[in-house]
Amino acid sequence: MLQRRDNLLSLCIITKNEEKKLPLCLKNIKDVVDEIVIVDTGSTDKTVKVAKQAGAKVYFKKWDNDFSEIRNYAIEKASGKWILFLDADETLSIDDSRKIKGLLNNPLVEGYLFYIRTQIENHLSTSVTQSLRLFRNRKEYRYQNLVYERIPEEIITNIKDVEITIIHQPDPDKYLQRQRMKIELLKKDIKLNPTDSYLRYTYGIELLNNNQIEEAIKQFQEAVKYVKHYHLYTPHLYKLLTWSLYITGKLELGIEIANKGLKYFPFYTDLVFLRGKIYQKLHKFSEAIDDFKRCHQLGDPPSSMVSEPGVGGYKALLAIGEIHEELLNAEKALDYYSQAFHSEPSLTEPLYLIGTLVKKYPQLGVIDKILLKYLGQSEHNQLMTLIDILCLEKEYQKALYYINILEAKANQNIMEDIAFVKGICYMMLERPLIAEKYFSTIPKEHSYYEQVLLKRIQNYWFHNKWDLAENLLKQILNSNNLNQKIKELYLDLHSLLTGKKITLNNLEIEGYQIIARLIENMLFLKQIDKATVLMEWLYKSSDENLWISIGELLATLKEISLIKKIYSQLNNKEVKVSFKEKVAMVLLKDGHNIEAEDILKLESSSNFGVEGHYLQNKFLLKKISTLINSALQSEKLTDEGQIKLYQLRESIKNEN
């Protein structure tokens, strides 16, 4: 690394056993900085050797459970006029690295905020979304706190955020171990500094990431008590507290917190969006639509505020569309979904919503013809999106039609993908031999060969080929690319379907989702007995929303006793209302009026949603029509009375 005379920028990194991560960290940044300062806290691998080979100045300091102490020690050793901090498991792109030098010439700025994208599974929130990583080397700028160390805004001012993103790719095992240690330090720090809102905020995020939402709410509420509104993290604190209250059903309190936050940050689009979602949940649809329209007017919030992409654009339009769909305004829903697509044509989410809407309301048009207005079929990826939507909506015959079009123009690279989708379509069209023919053309080297094996097993289950399914189960047991829990689940499912008694253990979310999709496919194939066997396991899931699609499929089969059994197992009041209303809607659409009314009356309640009130009106109009028909048989009725009753009956028919 060349040393420059002005020695402007010092890169500081704290290390311990990072020989694998450090080279990647330094790759794009080492030629941008003027010196590299490594403070090692006790590596036993080749970290120090790697650092020295990169031209770093290496210092050693004993770890004393204090992240600020180590960082401040690194600053003391740095000679640059500016300090850049990275962790060994963080990287910058070449383009972002090149931007840094240009930032050092602004005399009005003391520091810069970078975005941190942590790539780790199962996180509800990122651990740090923005962080001060580049700042002037002044003696007063020193870190505070044992952990989640920061230079407080009271000390460093004139901070600017820039469009530079640090990618944080921690080793999963080391990350979990380190997080446990950091949380213990955080608790200790909070005990020493109970009114430090930043510590409460960061602890709340960690609790969220561990799915301890109620505990996170308590920490966020404490943080709000002590926060200063000039703190950089304050808008995000209000957002996280509002979101946590929303997902735990504390809706009125969520509105209160959102309003408080918006008093200080009226242009924070994310907070307006969240308030809109809460209004929607409370069935205050007018207020919700106003908020989503406000989001669309605001656009993206100021860059200093942590934001979810799209809340000031297409997501606001989708949210308005969802409300209109909930209000049974299918045409308006389609219009807003269309606007959302046209605002972000590269995104397919609006198209999937359009597909579901058109399948639900055939009067809007033919599903594939509607989608082709948006997609076209000139590109392979356009056709693949169309085919995927058709498969999700169980329009397998139509999907095959477009697969054949795609196959005629596709290159060899996607032929195996086409074979996989063809296999699924033929499996669901009850042509198992053709399905197996296509599945078997996909070689073992293919990236999703294991998923093909699982589909082949399902194909054999659906068509009672139990011995063949068992042979494939032996193959997946030897696979290194499948999650062990998925392997165990498929073995247990096979045992259940073949009549063996097993212990129905609690599963993770993915396991219950797999069971729910299997049940839906079995019901589509009218294999009610098999589906019923798997339902006993699904009752253990805490996600009761999984039952709604199953209930709708049972309604198409007029399986009223099973519908009532599922309803009796549900505990969430909101899900129960949605379940019975959606089931009743399907029954009514299929002409089963008596059964639909019977389902809607389950646990008779005035707590109806939009569909419930719509159904009640339908049933009432039906009863009035019956009374009119009876009255028209009366001999005492005058000619004028008959005419009026005929007119009333016709107007009721038009309403229906």
Side-chain angles (χ1 to χ4, degrees), residues 552-571:
E552 290 176 312
L553 282 163
L554 286 168
T556 64
L557 299 170
K558 206 178 173 184
E559 288 289 332
I560 306 302
S561 60
L562 264 177
I563 290 168
K564 289 182 177 180
K565 181 180 177 183
I566 291 169
Y567 182 82
S568 69
Q569 299 280 337
L570 299 176
N571 295 305

Side-chain angles (χ1 to χ4, degrees), residues 342-386:
H342 289 303
S343 70
E344 291 285 348
S346 62
L347 297 174
T348 58
E349 183 182 355
L351 298 175
Y352 283 85
L353 290 170
I354 289 169
T356 300
L357 182 74
V358 175
K359 182 69 183 286
K360 186 177 178 182
Y361 296 100
Q363 67 267 28
L364 293 173
V366 180
I367 183 169
D368 51 325
K369 305 301 181 189
I370 292 281
L371 289 168
L372 284 171
K373 290 179 184 177
Y374 304 97
L375 277 169
Q377 50 179 312
S378 59
E379 301 291 335
H380 295 168
N381 59 341
Q382 293 174 328
L383 276 173
M384 286 298 283
T385 299
L386 173 62

Side-chain angles (χ1 to χ4, degrees), residues 288-298 316 320 324 336:
I289 288 174
D290 285 346
D291 269 350
F292 295 135
K293 285 183 176 178
R294 172 73 174 149
C295 289
H296 200 249
Q297 290 167 351
L298 286 172
I320 298 172
H324 282 299
Y336 277 100

Side-chain angles (χ1 to χ4, degrees), residues 161-315:
D161 75 297
V162 287
E163 296 295 323
I164 292 179
T165 299
I166 294 173
I167 305 299
H168 181 209
Q169 295 176 299
D171 176 87
D173 294 331
K174 286 175 68 174
Y175 180 79
L176 291 173
Q177 184 181 359
R178 190 177 185 188
Q179 288 306 104
R180 284 192 288 269
M181 179 264 288
K182 290 175 82 169
I183 288 171
E184 289 307 310
L185 289 176
L186 188 53
K187 289 178 182 177
K188 182 179 177 182
D189 232 345
I190 290 173
K191 197 170 182 179
L192 293 170
N193 305 283
T195 61
D196 189 317
S197 62
Y198 177 76
L199 293 174
R200 299 279 188 179
Y201 160 73
T202 52
Y203 188 29
I205 290 175
E206 288 303 327
L207 290 165
L208 273 189
N209 289 334
N210 286 303
N211 210 29
Q212 296 173 265
I213 302 173
E214 293 290 349
E215 291 302 312
I217 288 172
K218 293 176 185 176
Q219 294 301 323
F220 292 143
Q221 287 173 326
E222 287 297 305
V224 165
K225 287 181 187 178
Y226 306 114
V227 75
K228 305 296 182 187
H229 297 109
Y230 56 77
H231 286 156
L232 293 169
Y233 60 88
T234 305
H236 194 229
L237 168 60
Y238 278 105
K239 174 184 171 179
L240 289 180
L241 178 52
T242 303
W243 180 78
S244 301
L245 293 167
Y246 165 63
I247 62 172
T248 52
K250 299 176 177 66
L251 303 180
E252 297 294 347
L253 184 55
I255 293 285
E256 183 183 324
I257 294 298
N259 287 338
K260 186 176 179 180
L262 287 167
K263 178 181 175 182
Y264 300 107
F265 309 104
F267 303 112
Y268 193 12
T269 314
D270 294 58
L271 207 46
V272 180
F273 188 87
L274 264 176
R275 187 176 65 180
K277 295 302 287 184
I278 296 175
Y279 279 135
Q280 183 179 354
K281 198 93 166 177
L282 289 168
H283 288 180
K284 295 182 178 181
F285 297 120
S286 178
E287 292 92 333
I289 288 174
D290 285 346
D291 269 350
F292 295 135
K293 285 183 176 178
R294 172 73 174 149
C295 289
H296 200 249
Q297 290 167 351
L298 286 172
D300 294 332
S303 55
S304 59
M305 297 179 179
V306 179
S307 182
E308 180 185 346
V311 293
Y314 80 96
K315 285 184 180 175

Side-chain angles (χ1 to χ4, degrees), residues 280-285 326-328 567 573-585 595-620 623:
Q280 183 179 354
K281 198 93 166 177
L282 289 168
H283 288 180
K284 295 182 178 181
F285 297 120
E326 195 170 350
L327 292 170
L328 310 181
Y567 182 82
K573 289 181 181 179
E574 191 175 315
V575 175
K576 293 183 86 163
V577 169
S578 181
F579 178 85
K580 69 179 182 180
E581 289 182 358
K582 290 187 182 300
V583 166
M585 286 286 284
E595 292 82 358
E597 189 170 9
D598 183 38
I599 293 297
L600 194 65
K601 286 180 178 177
L602 289 171
E603 289 186 29
S604 183
S605 167
S606 58
N607 183 24
F608 287 117
V610 174
E611 288 176 319
H613 290 298
Y614 169 83
L615 287 163
Q616 280 188 312
N617 289 333
K618 284 283 187 183
F619 298 145
L620 180 60
K623 288 172 184 175

